């Protein structure tokens, strides 16, 4: 298992040029820390911490190539000879990675290496060129070989302390090395092997956390692990992660995310108000309830073919303008797109059979629903649709016309309530119309109630703009209840 990679990049000296400590660099985070001589000595000798170019010899800390005098010096925190670089790794077989005394990374190719003097640059550990470059050997990360998990955890703790970082709490939980809790004032962290799990609420309320790097050994991220990390804008989820808990990135500052796990659980990105770009990978099978709720900056998303389920409220109150569903899902769950005020266009597969309660409630700008493979304008519902839930299109104020598929047998309560611009509707073969189903449809001028209808709820057409209606005589005694508030009604055609 891989550990932190630390290099010495400078020597701390007093005014008499005596060595008092070393400047250390964590090359995973490029963070630097000035550590005392005694702390470095103890870390190497007693805690078995690997500092790549330092070791203990005759009870002294010595430089690996015995060239300590070539390194830049730091006097009272101020560096001199900052034109000196230290090799810390290989980019490829043509370039080395170096750092200056301030922790700034430099990449130098072979040609430039041969002519460094022209640029007034020197290498402190030039002896490493052949080892890591010309022989094609890259510096490897430390391998933990301890059999005792607790010893491994103690070693990680010691490394953080050596670098002046408040160490996160790491525990052995049922054999899993788990990062349980991080310091709330932490700004950056690399979570790498041997840690495999990130615990529940591990980084909750780390308001200043800006940079997180997750190693390839991470397998699980617990519930609300990064909850309310308001400064966290980017994070890469490695392919090794096969499961995450609920609300992992709830209320973070994320602006983009690529995610490729089978299940995106409940409230994963809830209230990520700056999240504007989401890429769903080919492994995604399920999008959980409220997964992207309140993502106000999210304008578009493509649901891949692999997704078989989208949960209730998954995109409710988001900023979506357009969504394309490429998968063959059969259900739009309740509240899925509730109050997506900017949603204009939606592409659905023809496999949709059920639209749940309030699925498109108050989608005030929805003007176009396409069925995948068609080029229709306006609203077209999938041919195989069997059920439209209560208030499914309530408050969709820009809907102008709609044809109800023949498989739908009931228009439930409030389904098209407050669709102010609805001008035409074909009821197909419906057998029942719920209460307030078309209430407040002010531009609806004419409707024909098919003979298949057996039940009409009270105020089904309350306060509409109807001028004329064709309705079966079985409802003659209920006309006033059905048409209450239709002040412009001019003609009621009673059919037998």
């Amino acid at each position: 298992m891989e550990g932190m990679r630390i290099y010495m990049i400078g020597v701390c000296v007093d005014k008499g040029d005596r060595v008092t400590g070393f400047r250390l660099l964590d090359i995973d985070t490029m963070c630097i820390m000035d550590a005392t001589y005694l702390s470095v000595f103890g870390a190497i000798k007693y805690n078995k911490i690997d500092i790549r170019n330092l070791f203990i010899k005759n009870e002294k800390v010595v430089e690996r190539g015995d060239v300590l005098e070539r390194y830049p010096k730091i006097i009272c925190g101020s560096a001199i000879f900052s034109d000196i670089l230290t090799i810390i790794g290989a980019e490829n077989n043509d370039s080395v990675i170096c750092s200056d005394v301030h922790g700034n990374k430099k990449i130098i190719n072979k040609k430039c290496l041969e002519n460094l003097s022209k640029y007034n640059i020197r290498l402190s550990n030039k002896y490493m060129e052949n080892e890591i470059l010309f022989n094609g050997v890259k510096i490897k990360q430390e391998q933990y070989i301890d059999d005792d998990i607790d010893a491994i955890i103690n070693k990680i703790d010691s490394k953080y302390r050596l670098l002046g970082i408040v160490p996160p709490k790491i525990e052995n939980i049922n054999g899993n090395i788990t990062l349980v809790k991080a310091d709330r004032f932490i700004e950056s962290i690399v979570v790498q092997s041997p840690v495999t799990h990130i615990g529940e609420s591990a980084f909750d309320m780390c308001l200043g956390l800006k940079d997180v790097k997750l190693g390839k050994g991470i397998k699980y991220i617990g519930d609300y692990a990064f909850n309310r990390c308001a400064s966290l804008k980017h994070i890469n989820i490695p392919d090794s992660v096969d499961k995450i808990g609920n609300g992992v990135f709830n209320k973070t500052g994320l602006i983009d995310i690529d995610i490729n796990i089978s299940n995106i659980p409940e409230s994963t990105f809830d209230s990520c108000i700056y999240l504007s770009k989401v890429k769903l990978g080919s492994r995604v099978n399920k999008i959980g309830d409220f997964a992207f709720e309140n993502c106000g900056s999210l304008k578009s998303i493509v649901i891949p073919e692999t997704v078989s389920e989208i949960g209730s409220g998954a995109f409710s109150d988001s900023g979506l303008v357009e969504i394309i569903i490429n998968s063959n899902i059969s259900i739009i769950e309740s509240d899925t797109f509730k109050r997506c005020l900017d949603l204009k266009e939606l592409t659905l597969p023809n496999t949709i059979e059920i639209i749940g309660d309030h699925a498109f409630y108050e989608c005030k700008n929805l003007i176009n629903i396409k069925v995948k493979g068609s080029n229709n304008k306006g609203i077209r519902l999938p041919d195989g649709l069997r059920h439209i839930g209560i208030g499914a299109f309530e408050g969709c104020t820009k809907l102008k016309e709609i044809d109800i598929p023949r498989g739908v047998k009931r228009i439930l309560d409030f389904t098209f309530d407050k669709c102010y611009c609805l001008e035409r509707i074909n009821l197909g073969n419906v057998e029942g119309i719920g209460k307030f189903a078309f209430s407040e449809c002010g531009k609806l001028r004419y409707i024909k109630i098919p003979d298949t209808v057996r039940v009409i709820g009270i105020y089904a057409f309350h306060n509409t703009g109807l001028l004329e209606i064709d309705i079966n005589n079985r409802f003659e005694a209920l006309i006033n209840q059905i048409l209450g508030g239709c002040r412009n009604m001019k003609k009621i055609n009673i059919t037998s």
Side-chain angles (χ1 to χ4, degrees):
M1 291 181 287
E2 297 170 347
M4 281 194 239
R5 298 176 290 176
I6 301 175
Y7 253 87
M8 183 272 292
I9 58 171
V11 183
C12 300
V13 298
D14 62 16
K15 293 181 179 179
D17 206 33
R18 289 171 296 189
V19 176
T20 59
F22 302 95
R23 176 160 291 184
L24 304 178
L25 170 71
D26 173 8
I27 65 175
D28 290 303
T29 63
M30 298 305 290
C31 291
I32 60 173
M33 175 63 187
D34 291 342
T36 66
Y37 183 93
L38 288 177
S39 65
V40 172
F41 179 87
I44 298 173
K45 182 169 183 176
Y46 301 112
N47 295 319
K48 308 301 182 185
I49 291 176
D50 180 28
I51 300 175
R52 302 308 167 87
N53 49 347
L54 294 179
F55 68 103
I56 303 294
K57 182 179 179 181
N58 298 326
E59 296 300 303
K60 293 182 179 180
V61 179
V62 297
E63 201 275 340
R64 180 179 169 189
D66 199 21
V67 289
L68 195 62
E69 69 280 359
R70 295 182 183 175
Y71 285 79
K73 295 181 179 180
I74 300 102
I75 302 176
C76 300
S78 298
I80 58 176
F81 304 122
S82 56
D83 58 339
I84 301 173
L85 301 180
T86 300
I87 296 174
I88 60 174
E91 177 75 4
N92 47 51
N93 286 340
D94 296 312
S95 304
V96 294
I97 303 172
C98 298
S99 172
D100 66 16
V101 72
H102 304 293
N104 298 311
K105 185 187 293 186
K106 316 282 185 181
I107 297 176
I108 305 175
N109 60 33
K110 279 184 178 181
K111 185 175 181 180
C112 288
L113 280 172
E114 295 168 358
N115 297 280
L116 283 181
S117 59
K118 292 182 179 180
Y119 306 100
N120 295 318
I121 294 174
R122 293 176 290 162
L123 292 177
S124 59
N125 55 347
K126 185 174 175 61
Y127 63 86
M128 296 193 68
E129 279 185 32
N130 291 338
E131 179 179 345
I132 73 166
L133 180 58
F134 299 109
N135 291 337
V137 179
K138 295 185 180 182
I139 296 176
K140 296 180 180 179
Q141 290 187 339
E142 176 183 0
Q143 300 294 310
Y144 285 111
I145 58 174
D146 312 62
D147 293 327
D148 187 281
I149 291 179
D150 291 333
I152 295 174
I153 293 173
N154 288 336
K155 193 170 185 179
I156 296 171
D157 184 88
S158 297
K159 283 195 172 184
Y160 276 111
R161 294 186 186 281
L162 179 63
L163 292 168
I165 301 170
V166 177
K169 185 178 181 181
I170 297 174
E171 295 181 354
N172 175 10
I173 301 177
N174 299 322
N176 298 312
I177 299 182
T178 303
L179 193 157
V180 176
K181 193 67 178 175
D183 176 58
R184 64 177 299 182
F185 299 108
I186 195 169
E187 294 186 1
S188 66
I189 191 169
V190 175
V191 185
Q192 57 189 20
S193 295
V195 175
T196 60
H197 289 54
I198 297 176
E200 179 179 337
S201 301
F203 295 92
D204 183 25
M205 282 291 286
C206 292
L207 300 179
L209 183 62
K210 298 177 182 179
D211 184 29
V212 176
K213 292 182 176 67
L214 301 180
K216 295 180 181 179
I218 304 297
K219 297 178 180 179
Y220 174 74
I221 304 174
D223 293 350
Y224 295 93
F226 294 94
N227 183 44
R228 296 178 289 185
C229 291
S231 300
L232 184 61
K233 295 182 179 181
H234 308 280
I235 192 169
N236 179 51
I237 302 174
D239 290 339
S240 58
V241 176
D242 52 28
K243 185 178 180 181
I244 66 175
N246 294 335
V248 167
F249 300 105
N250 179 63
K251 295 181 181 178
T252 63
L254 287 175
I255 61 176
D256 55 33
I257 192 73
D258 286 7
I259 187 164
N260 193 22
I261 58 175
S262 61
N263 178 22
I264 301 175
E266 179 179 332
S267 301
T268 298
F269 300 100
D270 185 5
S271 299
C272 292
I273 60 175
Y274 303 107
L275 185 62
S276 61
K277 183 179 179 181
V278 174
K279 182 179 179 180
L280 303 179
S282 59
R283 291 166 57 193
V284 178
N285 180 257
K286 178 182 177 181
I287 299 173
D289 298 347
F290 311 108
F292 294 93
E293 182 183 30
N294 293 313
C295 292
S297 298
L298 186 60
K299 300 303 179 184
S300 66
I301 193 168
V302 176
I303 308 297
E305 295 178 355
T306 53
V307 174
S308 61
E309 182 180 346
I310 301 176
S312 174
F315 297 95
S316 60
D317 293 285
S318 72
L320 283 173
V321 175
E322 179 184 13
I323 183 166
I324 298 173
I325 301 177
N326 285 324
S327 62
N328 291 327
I329 59 173
S330 59
I331 301 175
I332 301 293
E333 296 284 358
S334 61
D335 302 322
T336 299
F337 301 102
K338 183 177 181 179
R339 279 193 297 269
C340 289
L341 303 180
D342 298 322
L343 184 61
K344 294 180 179 180
E345 186 168 302
L346 175 72
T347 301
L348 297 175
N350 211 19
T351 53
I352 298 292
E353 297 180 8
I354 297 172
I355 295 177
D357 296 348
H358 303 107
F360 297 97
Y361 177 80
E362 288 193 356
C363 290
K364 295 180 180 293
N365 284 290
L366 185 60
I367 58 175
N368 199 10
I369 296 181
K370 296 180 180 180
V371 173
K372 187 180 176 183
S374 70
N375 294 313
N376 63 285
K377 294 293 183 182
I379 306 297
R380 179 185 169 185
L381 298 177
D383 296 335
L385 191 65
R386 297 184 292 105
H387 174 85
I388 303 175
I390 293 172
F393 293 94
E394 182 179 357
C396 292
T397 56
K398 290 192 177 180
L399 287 185
K400 290 187 175 182
E401 56 180 44
I402 195 162
D403 294 301
I404 304 298
R406 300 180 72 82
V408 176
K409 299 305 178 185
R410 290 182 62 84
I411 305 295
L412 299 180
D413 300 348
F414 301 97
T415 300
F416 296 97
D417 179 33
K418 298 183 181 67
C419 291
Y420 301 130
C421 292
L422 189 62
E423 298 174 351
R424 184 191 68 81
I425 185 163
N426 178 359
L427 292 173
N429 291 330
V430 299
E431 298 174 359
I433 300 173
K435 60 186 180 183
F436 295 95
F438 296 94
S439 176
E440 309 289 344
C441 293
K443 291 192 175 181
L444 188 63
R445 299 291 185 255
Y446 169 77
I447 193 166
K448 180 179 180 179
I449 308 297
D451 292 338
T452 53
V453 174
R454 295 289 182 267
V455 178
I456 301 179
I458 61 170
Y459 301 122
F461 297 93
H462 176 70
N463 274 355
T464 63
L466 281 172
L467 300 174
E468 182 179 359
I469 186 172
D470 290 357
I471 190 168
N472 193 281
N473 59 12
R474 69 171 66 93
F475 301 109
E476 187 170 3
L478 302 174
I479 286 293
N480 289 336
Q481 292 184 15
I482 295 170
L483 302 175
C486 295
R487 299 178 182 83
N488 299 320
M489 180 64 70
K490 295 181 178 180
K491 191 174 184 181
I492 299 174
N493 302 314
I494 305 295
T495 63
S496 57

